[in-house]
């Protein structure tokens, strides 16, 4: 199967803050030439590819054999190295959608799986002493639009009524009934001050729950370094895969501009780009561009401290996701509402060498107009970049055996929400591959399983009926 040129990484992506200091393995090749054979070939050296390789490498050598990772560009140069640094589970935002489609258990399964990532990653990062700025704090959802705030409260009440234990961690604040939020007398009446909680101008409601922030590029490159140093994988960067052919004598021939490699198993971990080699995922996982930036303040300026990460929705419902960093800078991105109508600028577009025109100036002055006390800080955009995410037709990732393709696997389609999904999904996929267990025997949410039914539904459905274009899902998620 030949690749689909429209779904192939471009050579010169915009520079992301996370990758400003290039890692020693960025352009690494374990061997000068491609090995003639590798038992497993993984396509993509981002979070999903490296995470799967790491978990496979934990298995007994005789069970797994040799592993090669092929990466079209530099290691971790795609979405993982260009995101917002937010490890933030979705506790209630889209869970009702999944409950509506598949029942309460299915919705809770996803929320619980995502929450488990905070504990699992914290434990792993501490044990391995990985320097990747992991911080566990609270994340605050803020609504500045009356109607959106009302809807959010209804969703929150619906989820609490379901009796999910994890909802105990969510605190919802609204203007008229907020315990612990300061009230002050303005000469005529007492006013409840939401700013004390979230610091956002014009906040009508906010919710808070446990989340984390981190430096994903450093995390993935640490894993990669460990794998390369232990000779557990052969890494080949700047090696795009052109096609995968079935070898008549068994296995596959993976074709690249640098020659071919024979393998028994292929893992497609190239997220937004999977349909380039797997045309059946053409409608299922669509590459969608996003925008992200880093904001700094001049030396010596001390802006109000932000201890939490944020999802901020303005009065006109433009969503941004934001994390404060230990160095005093802010990483913020989103603004999809500003470019959603310019479909050609973001939808089915893999060109991360250019910014999104309709939103590239949105974050100029963002902190000043959004947060109290930031008005005179001189905060300005220090660097800005774009990235390509893989959005799925039904908002769930595709993980597992690729239907009708024996010994080919997929872990892709993270909807700009891969941080609280990929680590444990990669672990479970590795178990499927090394132990031959079915998807149903893993701890992954049932809705994540790739299937012929899901593939057909997207291929036969109308493009505009998919979640990306129809439900505003794109507006509500974060890379």
């Amino acid at each position: 199967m030949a690749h689909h040129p429209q779904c192939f990484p471009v050579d010169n992506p915009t520079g992301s803050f996370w990758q400003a200091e290039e890692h020693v393995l960025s352009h690494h090749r374990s061997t000068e030439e491609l090995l003639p054979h590798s038992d497993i070939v993984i396509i993509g050296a981002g979070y999903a590819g490296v995470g799967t390789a790491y978990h496979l490498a934990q298995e007994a050598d005789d069970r797994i054999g040799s592993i090669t990772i092929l990466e079209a560009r530099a290691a971790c140069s795609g979405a993982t190295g260009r995101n917002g640094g937010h490890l933030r589970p979705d506790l209630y935002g889209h869970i009702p959608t999944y409950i509506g489609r598949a029942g309460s258990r299915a919705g809770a399964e996803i929320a619980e799986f995502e929450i488990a990532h905070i504990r699992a990653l914290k434990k792993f990062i501490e044990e391995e002493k990985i320097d990747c700025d992991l911080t566990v704090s609270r994340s605050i959802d803020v609504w500045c639009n009356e109607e959106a705030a009302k809807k959010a409260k209804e969703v929150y009440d619906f989820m609490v009524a379901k009796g999910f234990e994890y909802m105990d961690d969510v605190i919802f604040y609204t203007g008229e009934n907020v315990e612990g939020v300061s009230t002050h007398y303005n000469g005529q009446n007492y006013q409840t001050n939401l700013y004390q909680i979230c610091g956002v101008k014009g906040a009508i409601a906010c919710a808070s729950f446990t989340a984390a922030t981190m430096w994903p590029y450093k995390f993935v490159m640490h894993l990669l370094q460990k794998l390369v140093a232990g000779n557990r994988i052969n890494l080949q960067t700047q090696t795009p895969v052109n096609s995968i052919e079935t070898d008549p004598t068994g296995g596959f021939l993976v074709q690249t501009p640098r020659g071919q490699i024979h393998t028994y198993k292929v893992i497609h971990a190239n997220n937004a780009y999977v349909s380039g080699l797997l045309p059946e995922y053409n409608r299922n996982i669509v590459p969608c561009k996003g925008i992200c930036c880093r904001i700094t303040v001049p030396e010596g300026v001390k802006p109000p401290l932000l201890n939490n990460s944020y999802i901020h929705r303005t009065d006109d419902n433009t969503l941004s996701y934001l994390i404060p960093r230990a160095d005093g800078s802010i990483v913020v991105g989103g603004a999809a509402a500003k470019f959603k109508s310019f479909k050609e600028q973001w939808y089915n577009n893999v060109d991360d060498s250019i910014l999104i025109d309709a939103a590239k100036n949105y974050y100029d002055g963002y902190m000043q107009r959004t947060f109290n006390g930031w008005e005179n800080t001189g905060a300005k955009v220090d660097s800005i970049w774009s990235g390509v995410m893989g959005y799925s037709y039904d908002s769930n990732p595709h993980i597992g055996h690729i239907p009708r393709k024996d010994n080919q696997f997929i872990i892709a389609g993270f909807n700009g929400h891969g941080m609280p999904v990929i680590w444990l999904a990669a672990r479970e996929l590795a178990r499927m591959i090394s132990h031959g267990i079915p998807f149903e025997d893993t701890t992954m949410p049932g809705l994540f399983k790739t299937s012929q039914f899901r593939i057909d539904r997207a291929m036969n459905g109308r493009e505009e009926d998919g979640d990306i274009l129809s439900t505003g899902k794109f507006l509500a998620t974060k890379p």
Side-chain angles (χ1 to χ4, degrees), residues 333-384:
K338 295 292 175 222
F339 57 79
K340 188 156 194 212
S341 57
F342 303 94
K343 203 171 147 192
E344 72 293 343
Q345 290 187 25
W346 65 275
Y347 183 82
N348 211 2
N349 183 334
V350 296
D351 190 357
D352 54 7
S353 70
I354 55 170
L355 298 172
I356 299 172
D357 251 11
K360 65 183 181 191
N361 302 319
Y362 179 75
Y363 290 106
D364 294 343
Y366 175 80
M367 295 306 290
Q368 289 89 329
R369 66 178 183 264
T370 304
F371 285 90
N372 284 299
W374 280 74
E375 294 81 0
N376 303 311
T377 57
K380 66 177 197 314
V381 173
D382 170 68
S383 60
I384 181 164

Side-chain angles (χ1 to χ4, degrees), residues 7-21:
C7 206
F8 217 56
V10 300
D11 290 335
N12 51 336
T14 48
S16 125
F17 157 70
W18 305 114
Q19 302 170 57
E21 282 181 41

Side-chain angles (χ1 to χ4, degrees), residues 6 11 33 35 43 131 136 170 182 187 196 205 250 254 264 277 282-283 285 303 318 320 348 377 405 422 460 474:
Q6 197 185 343
D11 290 335
E33 303 296 326
L35 299 175
I43 303 169
D131 169 23
V136 177
V170 184
S182 75
Q196 303 298 92
V254 179
Y264 295 129
L277 294 166
N282 197 359
R283 284 275 186 82
I285 298 175
T318 300
S320 296
N348 211 2
T377 57
K405 285 195 165 82
I422 290 171
N460 302 329
F474 185 80

Side-chain angles (χ1 to χ4, degrees), residues 229-395:
N231 290 324
R232 289 303 292 118
I233 62 156
N234 185 296
L235 172 65
Q236 297 290 334
T237 63
Q238 315 295 344
T239 308
V241 175
N242 293 333
S243 65
I244 299 165
E245 292 154 18
T246 304
D247 184 350
T249 64
F252 306 97
L253 296 172
V254 179
Q255 305 290 349
T256 82
R258 299 175 54 222
Q260 68 180 24
I261 181 168
H262 177 271
T263 188
Y264 295 129
K265 290 185 167 81
V266 179
I267 301 169
H268 297 259
N270 49 342
N271 198 28
Y273 305 101
V274 288
S275 68
L277 294 166
L278 298 169
E280 61 266 51
Y281 287 94
N282 197 359
R283 284 275 186 82
N284 281 273
I285 298 175
V286 179
C288 295
K289 272 175 69 170
I291 202 162
C292 195
C293 69
R294 177 179 185 243
I295 293 174
T296 55
V297 296
E299 214 173 321
V301 175
K302 289 251 179 291
L305 188 66
L306 297 181
N307 287 320
N308 309 290
S309 70
Y310 286 83
I311 295 282
H312 164 233
R313 298 166 188 82
T314 60
D315 188 26
D316 69 358
N317 282 322
T318 300
L319 181 148
S320 296
Y321 50 87
L322 175 152
I323 69 164
R325 297 213 358 93
D327 62 7
S329 68
I330 301 291
V331 173
V332 58
K338 295 292 175 222
F339 57 79
K340 188 156 194 212
S341 57
F342 303 94
K343 203 171 147 192
E344 72 293 343
Q345 290 187 25
W346 65 275
Y347 183 82
N348 211 2
N349 183 334
V350 296
D351 190 357
D352 54 7
S353 70
I354 55 170
L355 298 172
I356 299 172
D357 251 11
K360 65 183 181 191
N361 302 319
Y362 179 75
Y363 290 106
D364 294 343
Y366 175 80
M367 295 306 290
Q368 289 89 329
R369 66 178 183 264
T370 304
F371 285 90
N372 284 299
W374 280 74
E375 294 81 0
N376 303 311
T377 57
K380 66 177 197 314
V381 173
D382 170 68
S383 60
I384 181 164
W385 59 92
S386 61
V388 183
M389 298 162 282
Y391 274 82
S392 71
Y393 191 79
D394 59 10
S395 302

